[in-house]
Amino acid sequence: HVQLVESGGGSVQAGGSLTLSCAASGITYNPYCMGWFRQAPGNEREVVARFHSYGSMGYADSVKGRFTISKDNAKNILYLHMNSLKPEDTAMYYCAADYCWMDSKNFRNWGQGTQVTVS
């Protein structure tokens, strides 16, 4: 049973930084993929960054150069380091995990989300 628990959201001024954390447990897939997603009111959920357990990463164009995804395998925590935040980054951010062959938007395991507000 996969469990994902996000933390680290909050309110920040434009240009500021935040780091989101996703504590993961129960992932037995090998390889596995994890990702950070966000959804703003009235918008569809979008993938922000994706992590492959073999080490590759990918980013949405809108966050390239500003956000960095990483994973502490010893602690089993996925991070999203967000720099140069913009008001348009305001959204609920979710962590998700599943088999890598699956389309990210179809991942079956999701956290409860953490709110990021940039003003």
Side-chain angles (χ1 to χ4, degrees):
H1 176 62
V2 177
Q3 287 192 309
L4 304 168
V5 180
E6 302 98 332
S7 61
S11 296
V12 64
Q13 291 189 333
S17 300
L18 276 176
T19 294
L20 306 182
S21 301
C22 173
S25 62
I27 296 177
T28 59
Y29 320 127
N30 187 18
Y32 64 87
C33 278
M34 298 182 73
W36 284 100
F37 302 75
R38 65 186 181 188
Q39 187 168 20
N43 291 357
E44 290 189 358
R45 187 167 56 196
E46 61 175 350
V47 60
V48 174
R50 182 167 161 141
F51 174 89
H52 191 292
S53 60
Y54 288 175
S56 63
M57 291 155 281
Y59 299 92
D61 287 343
S62 58
V63 306
K64 277 181 184 175
R66 300 189 299 122
F67 291 10
T68 303
I69 191 171
S70 66
K71 190 170 185 289
D72 184 327
N73 289 322
K75 297 180 180 178
N76 232 358
I77 298 176
L78 183 75
Y79 296 101
L80 184 67
H81 307 279
M82 305 184 294
N83 297 316
S84 302
L85 283 161
K86 305 175 181 180
E88 50 264 44
D89 294 318
T90 295
M92 184 70 79
Y93 283 70
Y94 298 90
C95 169
D98 218 315
Y99 289 105
C100 294
W101 56 262
M102 295 184 74
D103 193 312
S104 299
K105 62 185 177 184
N106 294 326
F107 278 2
R108 296 167 295 172
N109 306 294
W110 293 83
Q112 81 288 351
T114 186
Q115 178 69 38
V116 172
T117 303
V118 185
S119 59

